């Protein structure tokens, strides 16, 4: 598949370690945030979302943290696996407007 | 598999030509979104249709147009193609009109190469 984002920031993590992917968003009016995972040659896949009235939300092996004061979002992946290797995008929206996607971070898992 | 289908998977054409990309949303979804993804770029929102009507417009060039049909499938038309239009084009669909908790599900994309 085509390689997405050849010059993206890259995070390299040992298999089994925890990963933290960060995202700074731009619009202080944004009230809904989503993390997507994009594997090579595939479309983005929804991982987890969070509303602005929350500061933490947990899923299966993933946790999203939201700090509205500094407009920062993070995605934590526990016990990172080779299948987690992908490009991760955060997206934001201030209400009923289209999602705005960040540039993405490439996660590379070292076996 | 997200349930969103896109055809064709690959498309190679020449500058100045016109192409049509097709998208079928997930069953029951009323909104269709189109995005462009170039190398080194994130996903750029182009346009959204909701139940047949244009709902939101992003950075879509005048040479590009889209429509959503009564059966809710959508087509993105790209004309007078330029080399810079080479990209991945994704379609996404959602149940409602967008916004909070209206999760967008993405198709596998169409890779357009303009020579």
């Amino acid at each position: 598949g085509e390689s997405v984002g050849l010059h993206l920031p890259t995070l390299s993590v040992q298999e089994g370690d925890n990963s933290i992917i960060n995202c700074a968003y731009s619009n202080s009016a944004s009230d809904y945030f989503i993390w997507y995972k994009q594997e090579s040659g595939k479309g983005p896949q929804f991982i987890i979302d969070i509303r602005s009235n929350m500061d933490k939300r947990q899923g299966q092996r993933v946790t999203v943290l939201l700090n509205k004061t500094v407009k920062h979002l993070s995605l934590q992946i526990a016990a990172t696996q080779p299948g987690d290797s992908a490009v991760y995008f955060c997206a934001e929206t201030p209400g009923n407007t289209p999602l705005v996607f960040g540039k993405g971070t490439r996660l590379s898992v070292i076996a | 598999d997200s349930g969103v289908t896109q055809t064709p998977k690959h498309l190679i054409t020449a500058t100045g030509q016109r192409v049509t990309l097709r998208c079928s949303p997930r069953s029951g979804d009323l909104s269709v979104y189109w995005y462009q993804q170039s190398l080194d770029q994130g996903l750029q929102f182009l346009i959204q249709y909701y139940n047949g009507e244009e709902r939101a417009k992003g950075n879509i060039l005048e040479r590009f147009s889209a429509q959503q049909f009564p059966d809710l499938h959508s087509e993105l038309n790209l004309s007078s193609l330029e080399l810079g239009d080479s990209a991945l084009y994704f379609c996404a669909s959602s149940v409602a009109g967008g916004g909070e908790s209206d999760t967008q599900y993405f198709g596998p994309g169409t890779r357009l190469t303009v020579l």
Side-chain angles (χ1 to χ4, degrees):
Chain A
E2 179 172 309
S3 178
V4 171
L6 294 179
H7 303 295
L8 290 175
T10 298
L11 174 67
S12 295
V13 176
Q14 288 284 343
E15 181 179 359
D17 287 352
N18 297 334
S19 303
I20 300 176
I21 301 170
N22 296 304
C23 175
Y25 63 93
S26 56
N27 191 340
S28 56
S30 289
D31 56 9
Y32 179 60
F33 307 86
I34 309 175
W35 280 99
Y36 280 90
K37 170 187 180 183
Q38 187 176 20
E39 297 174 271
S40 182
K42 296 184 179 180
Q45 175 187 1
F46 172 87
I47 303 174
I48 192 167
D49 59 0
I50 188 167
R51 296 190 183 94
S52 61
N53 61 351
M54 304 169 69
D55 52 22
K56 180 179 180 179
R57 189 163 188 224
Q58 289 184 290
Q60 187 177 15
R61 276 201 314 119
V62 295
T63 300
V64 55
L65 299 178
L66 174 62
N67 185 330
K68 294 181 290 294
T69 302
V70 295
K71 292 189 287 185
H72 184 267
L73 196 65
S74 70
L75 177 70
Q76 300 178 359
I77 304 174
T80 311
Q81 302 168 359
D84 295 327
S85 292
V87 176
Y88 289 80
F89 294 96
C90 65
E92 60 178 298
T93 179
N96 284 330
T97 60
L99 289 175
V100 175
F101 283 81
K103 292 289 188 184
T105 297
R106 184 181 305 280
L107 176 64
S108 179
V109 180
I110 305 164
Chain B
D1 183 4
S2 66
V4 179
T5 60
Q6 289 186 249
T7 56
K9 190 170 176 60
H10 301 278
L11 197 50
I12 302 174
T13 188
T15 54
Q17 295 298 305
R18 173 190 168 94
V19 297
T20 298
L21 282 52
R22 194 178 193 278
C23 169
S24 292
R26 294 186 322 153
S27 176
D29 284 1
L30 296 179
S31 273
V32 169
Y33 309 77
W34 286 98
Y35 292 86
Q36 180 191 58
Q37 187 177 45
S38 305
L39 285 176
D40 299 333
Q41 295 292 323
L43 286 147
Q44 301 292 317
F45 169 71
L46 296 178
I47 198 164
Q48 176 196 359
Y49 278 81
Y50 173 69
N51 205 19
E53 300 290 327
E54 182 182 304
R55 179 77 169 225
K57 215 166 188 176
N59 299 319
I60 187 166
L61 300 172
E62 285 191 11
R63 300 183 285 109
F64 296 0
S65 65
Q67 55 184 326
Q68 187 179 29
F69 295 87
D71 67 352
L72 300 177
H73 90 271
S74 178
E75 292 181 354
L76 178 67
N77 301 296
L78 315 176
S79 62
S80 302
L81 285 167
E82 301 174 359
L83 295 177
D85 297 327
S86 295
L88 281 164
Y89 290 85
F90 288 102
C91 166
S93 73
S94 69
V95 171
E100 186 175 319
S101 300
D102 190 28
T103 304
Q104 293 183 32
Y105 294 90
F106 283 77
T110 293
R111 188 198 306 182
L112 174 66
T113 302
V114 183
L115 300 175

